Each structure stands twice: as C-alpha cells, then as structure tokens.
Amino acid sequence: MKGAVSVIRSLEAHGVDTVFGYPGGAIMPVYDALLDTNIRHILTRHEQGAALAAIGYARVSKKVGVCIATSGPGATNLVTGIADAFMDSVPLVAITGQVPSPFIGTDAFQEVDVLGITMPIVKHSFLVRRTQDICRAMNEAFRLAASGRPGPVLVDLPKDIANGDAEFVAPDDGGAADPDPACDDNAIARARELMQRAQQPVIYSGGGVISSNAIREFRDFVDATQIPTVHTLKGIGALAAGHESLLGMLGMHGLKCANLAVQECDLLIVVGARFDDRVTGKLSEFAPHAKVVHLDIDASEVGKLRRAEVTIVGDLKDALPRLHVRPSIDSWRAHCEVSKTNHAWRYDAPTQGVYAPRMIRDLSLAASEDVYVTCDVGQHQMWVAQHYRFKDPRHHLTSGGLGTMGFGLPAAIGAQLASPNSTVINITGDGSIMMNIQELATVKRYGLPIKIVLFDNQALGMVRQWQELFNAKRYSQVDLSDNPDFSMIAKAFEIPSMRVERGEDVPNAIEKILNTPGPLFVHVPIDTAANVWPLVPPGASNTNMMTESVA
Amino acid sequence: MNSKLYVRMTFVEGALIRLLGLAGRRGFGIAAVHARGAEGGLYEIMLELVGTRSIETLQRQIQKLYDVDVVEVIPDGQVAALKFDARPAPFVQHMAV
C-alpha cells in the first residue's frame, strides 16, 4: 500500500474516528487516502483552528486528538495549537506534510523545518525518512502522546515517503498507552506521617487530576481527609462547586479565602499541579510556613520551583487512595469556613447594563451538568473561572498554560463533535473571538449547535486593566471600539444572533442559550471599565490581593 | 555554577539539537560539549553547563527526552570516565524506533 494509506490504517488502528485539518500540496497523498476511510475529517478554515479543535475533541473525548496540515505555512499555523497542547498536557498527534526528501534543506516552495521549530513544544517528533518507518512512527506517536504526562507529538511526512510503498504495522497492545508507574511505599508513608501531624493542611490540586483520570480517587481523598482544598485554573471542577471542603481557585485572580489558606497552612499537599507563576505570585513568599508533599506523574515537575519534603512520583490513582489520613483539624476547618463566608463572591454591582460575573453565575445555575463551556483568554476567562459553578472538570475547556486567545471557538467545535448531544457554549471576548472568527464557517458547514456568548467591552480588557492599574492609565493599543457589527458577521454565516444590553434581559438570553436548538450568537456589550477582582499584582505575594475598593 | 552531565542517547537525527536546546531553554549556558559514538548506535555526551538552577531538575527534564538512555550528574571533582570510541559516530538519518 502507499505510505499515505498506511498513515490512515494507523489512525484506524488507534481508534481515531475524527481528525481536524486543512489540505495542501505536500500532504495531498494523505488527503487522497482519506477518501477511502470512514474516519471523519473536519475541514477547518485555518490550521490553528484545526489544532485547537483537536485539543477540544481530545479533552472531551479522552482520546488522542489528531490534526493534519501541509508543509510550510500549514505546519507553522499548527504551532500555536501544538504549544497549547504542550502547556496544558493534552494528548495530540500533529501530522504535517513535508516537501519531498530531495528538496529538504534547499529552501523549496513551502518548506519549513517544522521539526526544528516545534522541538521545544512537543514530547517528541519524527521526520519520517523511510516509508517502512511510517507505521512505527505513528504507533510511537500515539503511545507517547497518551503515556505518562500527556502531550503533543509531531509526525512530519515528506511527500515522496507518503507516495512510496509501505507495509502496515499494527500497534503493539492495540496502541494502548504505557501503564503509569506505582508510587514509592516509603514516600507514601512519609506523606501520611506529615498529614497526621499537620494542624493547618491545605490540598492544592491542578490539571493533573483530570489528565490522570483520577477524579473519583481525588474526590474520595478529599472526603476522607476533610482537608480544605484549593484548585488551579486547570483544576476547576475536580471537586464540584459547592463542595464543603472547597475554598475555590487560588492565585492571581483566585478567591481571597483560597489564597489566605495557602499562605497560612503548615502542610501543602500538591496534587497534579506545578507551582505556576500565576498561582504562586511571588514564589519566595508562597505558602511560607508550609511543608510540601508533591504528587505528580512527571518527575521533572517535582522540586522544579519549590522544594518538597516528600515527593510522590507516579499514578495519582495509585497514590491518593493510600493517603486517606484524617488529621485533627476541626478548628482549622472552622477558620477556613469563616474566611470562605467573609470573602464570598458578591453579585450586587450597581449597573443598568449586564454585569458579566452575575450573568455567568446565573447561566451556570440554569444549565444542566452536561453543558460544556469553552473560553478564550482575558477577563471573560477569569470571570468564567470565578463564577461558573462547574461540577465536572472536563466540562471547562480553557487555555491555561499558553493563554491562547482564539482558543474558545475551535475548542467548542471539537467539544461539540466529541459530545454531539451536549450543549456547548463558547464564552468569549471581543479581542479573542476575532482571532479565529473564520471558524464560524466550520460551525455552519457541520451544522454545529454551538452557542457563542460574546462579552464585548470594546477593548483588550485584561491588558487595559493592567495598564490602568500598573501603567498609570497609559492605555496603549487596547481600544477595539471599531469592532465590526457582530450581528452582521453572524448573519453572514447564517447563525442567528441576539443582543443583550440590559441586566433585565439576561434571564431571557439564558433561556435562549440553553434551549435554542441550533447555533446562536449572543452579543453582550459590557462596561469597558469593568475589571476582574480580586487581583494579585504581578510579582507580589498572594497575601496582597487588590480589591475593587482598594483600586 | 558549573555542572557536568553525562548523557547516553540514541544518535538519530535531531537528537543532539534536542539535548542542547533543552539545556539552553532551561536556563543553562553550555560551556563545553564532548560527544562521541559508542556501541549499539548510542552516543556518549559530556556536557559542561553553567547556570544557577538545579542541575537535578535539568537531569530529570533531559531524562524525559525520547532518545535519552542515561543521564547522570557528575559530582564536583570527579573526572568523567568516558571511554570514547575512536570511530566516528554512526549517523542515523532515519528514525530509530
């Protein structure tokens, strides 16, 4: 069979049912082979959309996402998506066409060294030099993408190799990921000892809980230990909103009670998190009184930024059930509970217009647990993280590590295709939506019933907020008051739209968002001056949270 | 602060660039690189690095590279015991899986 056909057979062998991509010259053999398979190809309108949609698909389906592009600009357009998958540990296989082997290194038309460009942002990459290596490269790519800490793998396929004669080589073990290693007994014993002695412990959980599919084990762990728990942006939903032990999100835009608990704790149990700078604030002043127990599948994350007294490297599903230690912390729990009450969110902002945090909160209260929410990046992203009450972590899709504006719409496309009977809502901003607005054509082409809720403050709001607070209101290149007419844009793609300008119109809008059968574009103008609170200034300790009254 | 790492890795296309690029991105200057072919299509590399970050963390990051077989920190004062093969390394252009 042709090499390109063996690529498709490999995808089939790994259980791939949906791929996202965009054809071009060097990848034509693969697109020809796609005509003879049942694998569904989703044609996006930009390769970045393909990569981000594949991420959305992977995060909802729990499968490896697949995106395909041609050489040169097709490959470079995938780069942001590949980086996003790398930073957020999403299993992704990116297949790129490459110029024919004799042309590599000659500055040929649409030639780019995508292997070199992507080296810092992949788990591994293969430039396939021999046709007989195609299937082995594909098998390794899928195994690597899904094993251990998940991430992206690139397979770069020169056109002559794709057109050569190949034999299909089936994956070992049906293409299963490597089993995660069990955890060290001694480390578990030392962690239990620290937990038993702790007087003010806090659990700090992250995206690793979700990546490792250890949600049930994590919830059992929290319930068994009764330890107050905070989470990162990527850890939202691992513990359902409203859980009695949950203090909320920590970090730059976290809840004050969550940050204060971490600053006061004497033991920090870090579960699948990595001390990101948006979480810790000034690292040297983060959790200053705490001993640290750090659990992670990735040994290189342990001790990278904060020394841990106990490190537990391995599968959370193995470790967490062995840490069911309940310390005597009634007074500490009571202290955290009071703090939680004192610093609870308020939704009584005096405004005639729409107050975005309240609309997001009300939307989540009206929505079923099966609703998926994708975000872009900026103020609306933080409002979703703060105010949408997630019950399941896989229902919150956000670009955490890379912070990719333009993530939300393609991710919603991937999520909707992975869960066709669910309601998928993309909550976005007027800066972000324009980054991948072309994917409205994909929504239309495939008849996807995605709801787009655009909070439009006619500005790059988060940058504007920082310029207001930290640059003496010297606003530089954040004005978007010349935004296009979004209702006309929606109409051009045959997507119904509505405009929500007053607070009293929000209930009707929420009803429409949740009950309209097809796609819907909801344009919500909001106050340009509305900011995200609270806020830890960059470089400051998490103890020093700015609130609206201080600003 | 200077550190030394011994790395044994498969000598395939891009492997050395991956190794050096990773060390640089993670905050280490590369003071010297000694590399030679070894038995079994492997490559032995001695890296002399300059940096203030934890060399043990870099060791764990390098260990994650697909092509790396062994990576060890060479303690201060210890002379590296590389027994370089006198032959040039066999460059493998195709992938090794």
Side-chain angles (χ1 to χ4, degrees), chain A residues 445-521:
Chain A
R445 168 184 281 253
Y446 296 99
L448 302 176
I450 293 168
K451 312 300 185 288
I452 299 156
V453 179
L454 167 61
F455 287 113
D456 176 7
N457 61 1
Q458 301 192 34
L460 293 174
M462 189 61 91
V463 182
R464 184 193 178 281
Q465 177 172 344
W466 280 42
Q467 289 174 351
E468 176 189 339
L469 299 176
F470 310 123
N471 286 13
K473 298 186 178 180
R474 287 164 53 83
Y475 298 118
S476 177
Q477 302 298 317
V478 292
D479 174 48
L480 298 181
S481 59
D482 56 352
N483 273 328
D485 182 332
F486 288 108
S487 66
M488 287 183 68
I489 286 186
K491 187 177 180 183
F493 290 99
E494 298 177 15
I495 296 172
S497 68
M498 62 184 296
R499 188 174 167 93
V500 185
E501 295 189 46
R502 298 176 303 174
E504 65 200 60
D505 297 331
V506 167
N508 177 54
I510 289 174
E511 195 275 328
K512 289 281 192 300
I513 291 166
L514 297 176
N515 296 312
T516 298
L520 182 65
F521 196 111

Side-chain angles (χ1 to χ4, degrees), chain B residues 4-61:
Chain B
K4 287 183 182 174
L5 283 179
Y6 165 81
V7 181
R8 193 171 70 213
M9 64 193 304
T10 312
F11 189 55
V12 292
E13 188 171 12
L16 192 58
I17 297 170
R18 274 183 221 278
L19 174 66
L20 299 180
L22 174 60
R25 282 194 304 280
R26 294 299 187 176
F28 287 85
I30 298 166
V33 181
H34 309 274
R36 280 296 183 90
E39 291 182 0
L42 296 174
Y43 217 53
E44 286 188 317
I45 298 150
M46 181 72 69
L47 287 179
E48 294 183 32
L49 302 166
V50 182
T52 56
R53 295 183 180 175
S54 158
I55 193 67
E56 286 76 20
T57 295
L58 181 66
Q59 178 189 16
R60 290 192 287 270
Q61 289 163 338

Side-chain angles (χ1 to χ4, degrees), chain A residues 300-372:
Chain A
S300 73
E301 286 297 346
V302 173
K304 184 179 80 174
L305 292 167
R306 170 73 180 253
R307 192 182 77 84
E309 274 69 21
V310 178
T311 64
I312 301 175
V313 175
D315 186 3
L316 291 180
K317 294 195 292 296
D318 171 57
L320 292 173
R322 299 159 68 188
L323 293 173
H324 286 196
V325 176
R326 185 170 179 175
S328 301
I329 55 170
D330 288 350
S331 61
W332 171 240
R333 280 182 59 84
H335 171 78
C336 291
E337 193 60 36
V338 170
S339 180
K340 188 158 77 169
T341 303
N342 290 344
H343 300 296
W345 298 118
R346 295 181 60 175
Y347 297 97
D348 52 0
T351 173
Q352 295 296 310
V354 175
Y355 181 49
R358 184 164 55 217
M359 179 168 174
I360 290 167
R361 191 275 310 261
D362 291 350
L363 174 63
S364 75
L365 292 177
S368 73
E369 292 185 18
D370 191 38
V371 169
Y372 288 86

